[in-house]
Amino acid sequence: MNLRKLGNTDIEVSPIAFGAFAIGGTMWAGNEEKDSINAIHAAIDNGISTLDTAPFYGLGRSEELIGKAIADKRREDIQILNKFGLVWDGSNYGKGDFFFDTEDNGKNYSIYKFASKENVVKEVEESLKRLGTDYIDLLQLHWPDSTTPISETMEAMERLLEQGKIRAAGVCNYSVDQLKEAEQTLKMSSNQVSYSMLQRGIEADLVPFAQSNDLSLIAYSPMERGLLTGKYFKDGKLEEADHRNGYFKQFDLERIEKVLNELLVIADSYNASLAQLVLNWTMNQPGITVTLAGARNEKQVASNAAAMNLSISDADMASINQHLESLK
């Protein structure tokens, strides 16, 4: 497997990473522990050595599952991309930006975006315990927090770098202006942002900035939470607790279904699934270093991993892009 260099670091990551949001359960209608751990093992065994998680995913559950799954693995062969800054346990005492309310196992939680220096340190210490490791390869601010100076958050990550508790520092959902301000204090290695065939806004400014500043872009939601697999159009029924019931309403589903049917013809010519075609297209877009792909079980992981090995011709890539024009 051809690994890719992460930003300005010596860290190498797999082109597709295991996105560990769904295995946490929260907002995804739950998942079985055995299936989750087997999925992580399958990812590592199939060349997906990079695991992306966050304390918020399952309110610590996702991290705990990763910790269990990698306990008997060579730590140096795995790259853990983690986050901080979404507080649910009330430890912020109302400080920060209120984000939203959610429910987990019958209990309601208020989620805040909070990135004070003290909170960064607190969250990292808790994450290290849940993950069962003494360092995190890439630590990322999960969402911007308007109540905390960017320099304060960057200074906290700089201290963690000096202590060896993290190997690299990055952010998520940052604009170009926010990146420029952050880099007045600390050079960023990455910016994790939403990017897919349906949402390509970053191509206008973030991609050129990243390419000019040795910054890796990590694409999340490349499958638009499963919509681009095409399965939704065959069986559109989701669990009542599944947040995607509301999320999908923002799209022109009729137009998307038509384009996906056209892309399926190209996927079939490579003996690939539509999902594999979509992942491969995403990981090969300019500026994208890592593409996140969630999975709940071994079968889904194996399918995601196979996407890394597709070799789509320039002519077919051009055809894919032509079909996507109708979605702009």
Side-chain angles (χ1 to χ4, degrees):
M1 183 57 56
N2 293 320
L3 298 178
R4 297 177 174 181
K5 182 174 172 289
L6 181 72
N8 61 327
T9 75
D10 60 358
I11 300 172
E12 293 188 319
V13 290
S14 52
I16 290 179
F18 181 93
F21 189 2
I23 67 168
T26 302
M27 298 173 64
W28 288 85
N31 203 48
E32 293 294 328
E33 177 172 320
K34 182 180 178 181
D35 289 340
S36 297
I37 291 178
N38 286 343
I40 297 167
H41 286 164
I44 296 168
D45 293 342
N46 282 278
I48 299 178
S49 59
T50 303
L51 313 176
D52 180 89
T53 187
F56 171 68
Y57 299 163
L59 311 185
R61 183 63 172 155
S62 176
E63 291 176 315
E64 291 172 351
L65 289 169
I66 287 176
K68 290 181 179 181
I70 69 171
D72 60 349
K73 304 290 184 181
R74 278 168 40 98
R75 177 65 180 85
E76 58 268 33
D77 293 337
I78 299 165
Q79 305 85 48
I80 296 177
L81 316 184
N82 205 8
K83 308 179 188 76
F84 68 89
L86 286 189
V87 179
W88 75 86
D89 61 2
S91 60
N92 58 316
Y93 299 104
K95 298 178 182 177
D97 285 325
F98 172 75
F99 200 6
F100 60 91
D101 288 319
T102 191
E103 180 271 336
D104 186 67
N105 291 323
K107 186 175 180 180
N108 295 320
Y109 295 88
S110 293
I111 312 302
Y112 286 81
K113 294 181 283 189
F114 188 50
S116 73
K117 185 176 294 186
E118 292 77 11
N119 185 64
V120 177
V121 173
K122 169 187 176 294
E123 286 202 52
V124 168
E125 292 297 337
E126 292 172 346
S127 290
L128 290 172
K129 290 179 181 178
R130 287 191 288 259
L131 290 163
T133 186
D134 56 3
Y135 70 93
I136 292 165
D137 295 278
L138 173 67
L139 181 67
Q140 308 159 93
L141 169 62
H142 208 152
W143 283 91
D145 164 26
S146 68
T147 71
T148 301
I150 288 177
S151 59
E152 178 180 335
T153 305
M154 298 303 115
E155 287 168 3
M157 287 202 282
E158 186 173 36
R159 172 59 66 88
L160 291 167
L161 281 166
E162 293 170 351
Q163 295 174 340
K165 293 181 179 179
I166 65 174
R167 295 177 65 197
V171 291
C172 304
N173 306 298
Y174 255 36
S175 67
V176 169
D177 287 342
Q178 289 169 322
L179 283 167
K180 289 178 178 178
E181 183 174 349
E183 294 199 343
Q184 291 178 16
T185 303
L186 180 64
K187 172 64 179 155
M188 292 290 94
S189 298
S190 64
N191 186 16
Q192 183 174 146
V193 289
S194 177
Y195 180 67
S196 74
M197 288 179 167
L198 305 183
Q199 306 209 50
R200 301 173 62 179
I202 66 167
E203 294 175 356
D205 56 357
L206 262 180
V207 169
F209 178 85
Q211 292 176 312
S212 300
N213 290 274
D214 201 11
L215 179 81
S216 281
L217 292 179
I218 300 172
Y220 72 80
S221 291
M223 303 305 305
E224 287 298 349
R225 311 186 193 192
L227 183 61
L228 293 178
T229 65
K231 295 177 182 178
Y232 177 79
F233 298 102
K234 297 177 182 178
D235 181 11
K237 187 176 181 180
L238 298 170
E239 294 287 340
E240 185 177 349
D242 199 312
H243 72 287
R244 292 174 293 180
N245 285 303
Y247 182 79
F248 289 165
K249 291 180 181 179
Q250 68 180 295
F251 299 114
D252 184 337
L253 297 178
E254 184 176 347
R255 181 179 295 180
I256 291 170
E257 183 178 17
K258 180 180 178 181
V259 171
L260 291 182
N261 286 334
E262 293 167 336
L263 298 187
L264 183 58
V265 174
I266 299 175
D268 285 343
S269 71
Y270 288 90
N271 293 316
S273 69
L274 184 58
Q276 290 167 338
L277 183 82
V278 172
L279 285 175
N280 187 273
W281 177 90
T282 308
M283 64 177 262
N284 284 303
Q285 294 309 294
I288 303 299
T289 300
V290 180
T291 298
L292 302 189
R296 294 172 179 263
N297 54 55
E298 296 173 78
K299 183 178 179 180
Q300 292 174 352
V301 167
S303 176
N304 292 343
M308 294 189 290
N309 299 319
L310 278 181
S311 181
I312 301 175
S313 71
D314 291 343
D316 282 332
M317 276 293 189
S319 181
I320 292 170
N321 289 328
Q322 186 175 9
H323 289 308
L324 294 178
E325 285 296 315
S326 67
L327 296 178
K328 289 185 175 180

